[in-house]
Amino acid sequence: MTATITKPDQYLPTELMGGLDDPIPSDELDPETEGEVKTKSLVIVAESGDLERTWATTILASSAAASGMQVSIFFTFWGLFPLVRPEIRMTGKNWMQKMLSVMNRPGIGHLKLSKLNFAGMGPWMMHRLAKQHGVAKPGELLEMAQALGVRLIPCQMSMDMMGVSADQLIDGVESAVGAATALELMAEADATLFI
Amino acid sequence: MTATITKPDQYLPTELMGGLDDPIPSDELDPETEGEVKTKSLVIVAESGDLERTWATTILASSAAASGMQVSIFFTFWGLFPLVRPEIRMTGKNWMQKMLSVMNRPGIGHLKLSKLNFAGMGPWMMHRLAKQHGVAKPGELLEMAQALGVRLIPCQMSMDMMGVSADQLIDGVESAVGAATALELMAEADATLFI
Amino acid sequence: MTATITKPDQYLPTELMGGLDDPIPSDELDPETEGEVKTKSLVIVAESGDLERTWATTILASSAAASGMQVSIFFTFWGLFPLVRPEIRMTGKNWMQKMLSVMNRPGIGHLKLSKLNFAGMGPWMMHRLAKQHGVAKPGELLEMAQALGVRLIPCQMSMDMMGVSADQLIDGVESAVGAATALELMAEADATLFI
């Protein structure tokens, strides 16, 4: 984990700030039924790929994992592009897929705001405000989430349609699955969010 | 069901591909508490009416139903327009409601992307990419969902505000209800998504 | 509560229309496990701050509370601005934060549509249509929600980044918290929605 954070203890649970390699002690988990310990779980469907929503996804996922929850994120449609490796400027096999990635540059470092984007000035301001207030960037939060065991699961259908191949995704991402697999996780989860 | 799908088994559960008229065998359902069989349930609030989000709604709903889940979709605000019959070009009783339907053409075959829409070029590309990769269109997926028993429930308040009448909606849609009824379903559901 | 509503019984549960100060009778709550009465709960993450989504949030929250559910709303990112007092035109301490509030005017009376906004004509039409059909405004619904005990919880990180201070928020809003606290509520909730 190479993320550098200024004043992270302000917003994130203390568990997130040290001892990332320590296992979560099992006595922190809430027993729900007698004799059985049930870890709480969260499933996020990350659909938008916008800066503010990707921020929300990575903050919620890393905080939940730090609190001992099991977290899975299913990345679909525009949500797939933040998972693309930073050095890859263009994805896609045909002109349509290539055009999509040109108009909607892949990589978690190049996200746009859903409004007030102003050709990149909005995101620049948001990142500056975040730095001033010690808020980690989405890319740093995603690294934390991975270190804390958050499962990153891409949608097979979106990968095929958008022309994104598995080797273009960042390390640690799981094999792509279909909607049915994501739904199984959701049916068992304590909280589900479509972001 | 008249939907034609090219390579659907790639993304959708096998149950979706044949025997749509067969009831889901009860032994496929997970027993949760001893002596009682509890079917998992999913409630989606479909608010946006954008192409990509309507696609997500219809994929998740049809896949969940095919896996034996009970699925209800509550259509509200912009989400109501995809439920309008394809032959109806304009809805609304007064000029404001008519203008809404002109700017935001009803029918699941006329959805716009929330970004990169480019006056219809974005959706055209998405549909072409979908066809190349054997992904069913939202309208086909909605038909499947209906065949699999997904409940389509319009929001009464949205229908009144937008000026959409019950006879303008596609066949099989339930009577419109208020938010309280949708909330009762959500309170009992295993997973809830606002899309 | 000063909200004036024309024909509210059409869309909202009867409980919402009278006796707001009466406690919800405990025998209306569903017993779930033997010997223990469990109130259903709803947690909404209000992220967008758009007119239609704020409307959805306030309708769902007030209806759920009127039906006896425990409701908490976690306001984050753009969702924070509707919580700002109506008389405050500009928030923020530095030029970037001030610019955000100029482009995205605070206060629940000044929300924009996510599409068809047309420099304010869309929201004006929506409000006129709402009035014609007896639908309460988001601000009125938020007041009802508060009167019914809905918890309004702002996100500390968003307040710091956006430069919104606690004294700029409407009365009755709780102290700001971090994501971990919101996640604890979500993990225990019967329904979770990201709006």
Side-chain angles (χ1 to χ4, degrees), chain C residues 26-96:
Chain C
S26 62
D27 58 299
E28 284 186 11
L29 307 175
D30 285 331
E32 259 213 335
T33 48
E34 65 286 351
E36 193 195 336
V37 171
K38 184 160 184 305
T39 308
K40 293 287 182 180
S41 58
L42 167 69
V43 175
I44 295 175
V45 182
E47 186 266 354
S48 88
D50 294 327
L51 173 58
E52 61 270 62
R53 292 189 158 232
T54 305
W55 226 323
T57 295
T58 52
I59 287 168
L60 290 170
S62 54
S63 299
S67 310
M69 291 176 77
Q70 288 183 331
V71 186
S72 306
I73 315 179
F74 183 63
F75 293 88
T76 184
F77 285 91
W78 308 113
L80 194 62
F81 290 99
L83 280 193
V84 173
R85 292 177 182 281
E87 70 271 19
I88 292 176
R89 274 203 72 111
M90 196 191 288
T91 55
K93 290 170 193 80
N94 59 38
W95 70 268
M96 290 187 292

Side-chain angles (χ1 to χ4, degrees), chain A residues 10-187:
Chain A
Q10 215 171 334
Y11 311 112
L12 295 170
T14 31
E15 293 89 342
L16 206 55
M17 295 309 111
L20 288 188
D21 298 325
D22 302 340
I24 306 288
S26 62
D27 58 298
E28 285 186 11
L29 308 176
D30 284 332
E32 260 215 333
T33 48
E34 66 285 353
E36 192 195 336
V37 171
K38 186 162 181 304
T39 307
K40 293 288 181 179
S41 57
L42 168 69
V43 174
I44 296 174
V45 181
E47 185 266 356
S48 89
D50 294 327
L51 174 57
E52 62 269 63
R53 292 188 159 233
T54 305
W55 226 323
T57 295
T58 52
I59 286 169
L60 289 171
S62 54
S63 300
S67 310
M69 291 176 78
Q70 288 183 331
V71 186
S72 306
I73 315 178
F74 183 63
F75 293 88
T76 183
F77 285 92
W78 308 114
L80 194 63
F81 289 99
L83 279 192
V84 172
R85 292 176 182 282
E87 70 270 19
I88 292 177
R89 273 202 72 111
M90 197 191 288
T91 54
K93 289 168 194 82
N94 60 39
W95 69 269
M96 289 187 292
Q97 292 168 338
K98 282 181 180 140
M99 192 171 141
L100 274 181
S101 78
V102 168
M103 302 304 304
N104 181 53
R105 186 171 167 179
I108 201 161
H110 304 102
L111 306 179
K112 293 175 185 169
L113 285 171
S114 72
K115 54 183 168 191
L116 308 188
N117 193 66
F118 296 121
M121 177 140 186
W124 174 86
M125 268 176 52
M126 282 293 177
H127 282 119
R128 234 186 108 170
L129 288 171
K131 198 173 176 188
Q132 282 178 3
H133 295 91
V135 178
K137 290 180 191 174
E140 295 166 343
L141 290 161
L142 191 67
E143 279 187 53
M144 280 188 221
Q146 285 190 289
L148 288 160
V150 171
R151 298 179 60 185
L152 310 183
I153 310 171
C155 166
Q156 181 67 58
M157 191 196 78
S158 303
M159 290 187 66
D160 292 351
M161 266 183 70
M162 307 294 199
V164 176
S165 56
D167 61 294
Q168 291 176 320
L169 300 182
I170 57 171
D171 290 335
V173 169
E174 298 189 15
S175 299
V177 302
T181 307
L183 282 157
E184 277 173 36
L185 291 170
M186 285 186 234

Side-chain angles (χ1 to χ4, degrees), chain B residues 143-187:
Chain B
E143 279 188 51
M144 281 188 221
Q146 284 190 288
L148 288 160
V150 171
R151 298 178 60 186
L152 309 183
I153 309 171
C155 167
Q156 181 67 58
M157 191 195 78
S158 303
M159 289 187 69
D160 291 351
M161 267 183 69
M162 308 293 200
V164 176
S165 56
D167 60 295
Q168 291 175 320
L169 300 182
I170 58 172
D171 290 335
V173 169
E174 298 190 14
S175 298
V177 302
T181 308
L183 282 157
E184 276 172 37
L185 291 170
M186 285 186 234

Side-chain angles (χ1 to χ4, degrees), chain B residues 22-145:
Chain B
D22 302 340
I24 306 288
S26 63
D27 58 298
E28 284 186 13
L29 309 175
D30 284 332
E32 258 216 335
T33 48
E34 66 284 353
E36 193 196 335
V37 171
K38 183 159 183 305
T39 308
K40 293 288 181 181
S41 58
L42 167 70
V43 174
I44 295 175
V45 182
E47 185 267 353
S48 89
D50 293 327
L51 174 58
E52 61 269 62
R53 292 189 158 232
T54 305
W55 227 324
T57 295
T58 52
I59 287 168
L60 290 170
S62 54
S63 300
S67 310
M69 290 175 77
Q70 288 183 332
V71 187
S72 306
I73 315 179
F74 183 63
F75 294 88
T76 184
F77 285 91
W78 309 113
L80 195 62
F81 290 98
L83 279 192
V84 172
R85 293 178 182 281
E87 69 271 20
I88 292 175
R89 274 205 70 114
M90 196 190 286
T91 55
K93 289 168 195 81
N94 59 39
W95 69 268
M96 289 187 292
Q97 292 169 338
K98 282 181 181 141
M99 192 172 141
L100 274 181
S101 79
V102 168
M103 301 304 304
N104 180 54
R105 187 171 168 180
I108 202 163
H110 304 102
L111 307 179
K112 294 175 184 167
L113 285 171
S114 73
K115 54 184 169 191
L116 308 188
N117 193 66
F118 297 120
M121 178 143 185
W124 173 85
M125 269 177 52
M126 282 294 177
H127 282 118
R128 235 186 108 171
L129 287 170
K131 199 174 175 187
Q132 283 178 2
H133 295 91
V135 177
K137 290 180 191 174
E140 294 166 344
L141 290 161
L142 191 67
E143 279 188 51
M144 281 188 221

